[in-house]
Amino acid sequence: MGNSESARSSRVPRTASEKKATKTANKIARGPHPDETAVEKSLRPHLCSIAEQLLSRAGDLASHTADDVLKVIPAYHDVPWEQVRDQALTNIKRAASTIIAGAVPSPSQVNEASVADIRAAQGVPVHDVLHAYRLSLALIKDELTEIGQEADRDAVIMAIYLLWETADVIADQLAVHHQEAEIRAARR
């Protein structure tokens, strides 16, 4: 990291909006505190509104995601467009439900075994499955950013935070289940 990058990342927030965004991010990173339930309650209507707007755009966003995945990732060329779109729609719905819940699902609450098994059987390498998932999430994040131009800033920060934390849970499951599917296939 260069000196200018180091200075930027460690710089103290100067404006009121920077201070508020930093405070919100720190609260999110620490997790809920008994005295902060009012903050969470105040965000809930905003989070629900953001999720509803995301869901209202789900069809077009899923189609756009499928187009991009098939265009950008050669290993997906033999995967039917409808399957990629359906998985993108699942990702959008999961993002919306996570935003509404205001909490990241635990690994036991998500099951990526079926999509990992299908992609492994289709010959899509795990790094390409993860690439497609990250591409899907990036497009969801872009949509949240667009929605966020008219939404409560703290709620948008929370929504994007929840999206990225959920991404870690899902990516771990995708990788594990894909590897298990490859091992099963190799043993046959």
Side-chain angles (χ1 to χ4, degrees):
M1 186 180 314
N3 288 340
S4 63
E5 288 177 338
S6 177
R8 259 185 277 140
S9 64
S10 63
R11 144 179 120 74
V12 175
R14 304 264 186 237
T15 67
S17 62
E18 285 178 332
K19 289 177 184 176
K20 187 174 181 182
T22 301
K23 184 177 179 182
T24 300
N26 288 338
K27 284 181 183 178
I28 293 167
R30 279 196 320 269
H33 183 276
D35 296 335
E36 295 170 359
T37 55
V39 172
E40 289 181 27
K41 286 179 184 175
S42 72
L43 286 181
R44 183 145 323 273
H46 299 289
L47 290 170
C48 288
S49 175
I50 289 168
E52 288 170 8
Q53 290 179 61
L54 179 63
L55 287 172
S56 74
R57 303 171 184 193
D60 290 340
L61 183 57
S63 294
H64 179 73
T65 301
D67 291 342
D68 281 3
V69 166
L70 293 173
K71 181 174 73 176
V72 172
I73 306 172
Y76 269 79
H77 286 176
D78 292 332
V79 177
W81 181 87
E82 293 79 12
Q83 284 185 12
V84 179
R85 184 187 184 280
D86 289 348
Q87 188 57 46
L89 197 54
T90 297
N91 295 341
I92 295 163
K93 289 177 181 178
R94 182 182 295 114
S97 66
T98 298
I99 292 166
I100 289 168
V104 177
S106 69
S108 65
Q109 293 173 309
V110 294
N111 184 355
E112 295 302 308
S114 63
V115 71
D117 288 348
I118 291 166
R119 295 300 176 261
Q122 292 169 325
V124 180
V126 68
H127 67 273
D128 287 327
V129 174
L130 293 172
H131 183 185
Y133 183 63
R134 286 189 304 268
L135 179 58
S136 177
L137 291 179
L139 293 171
I140 294 169
K141 187 249 330 151
D142 290 347
E143 203 67 31
L144 290 173
T145 302
E146 179 75 24
I147 291 166
Q149 292 179 8
E150 302 295 324
D152 179 83
R153 183 181 177 131
D154 289 345
V156 173
I157 291 168
M158 173 69 93
I160 292 173
Y161 169 80
L162 291 167
L163 177 69
W164 289 124
E165 289 297 309
T166 302
D168 288 343
V169 173
I170 302 301
D172 288 348
Q173 284 221 351
L174 281 170
V176 167
H177 289 294
H178 193 286
Q179 183 180 30
E180 290 171 355
E182 288 178 327
I183 291 169
R184 283 192 306 274
R187 288 181 179 159
R188 291 183 195 145

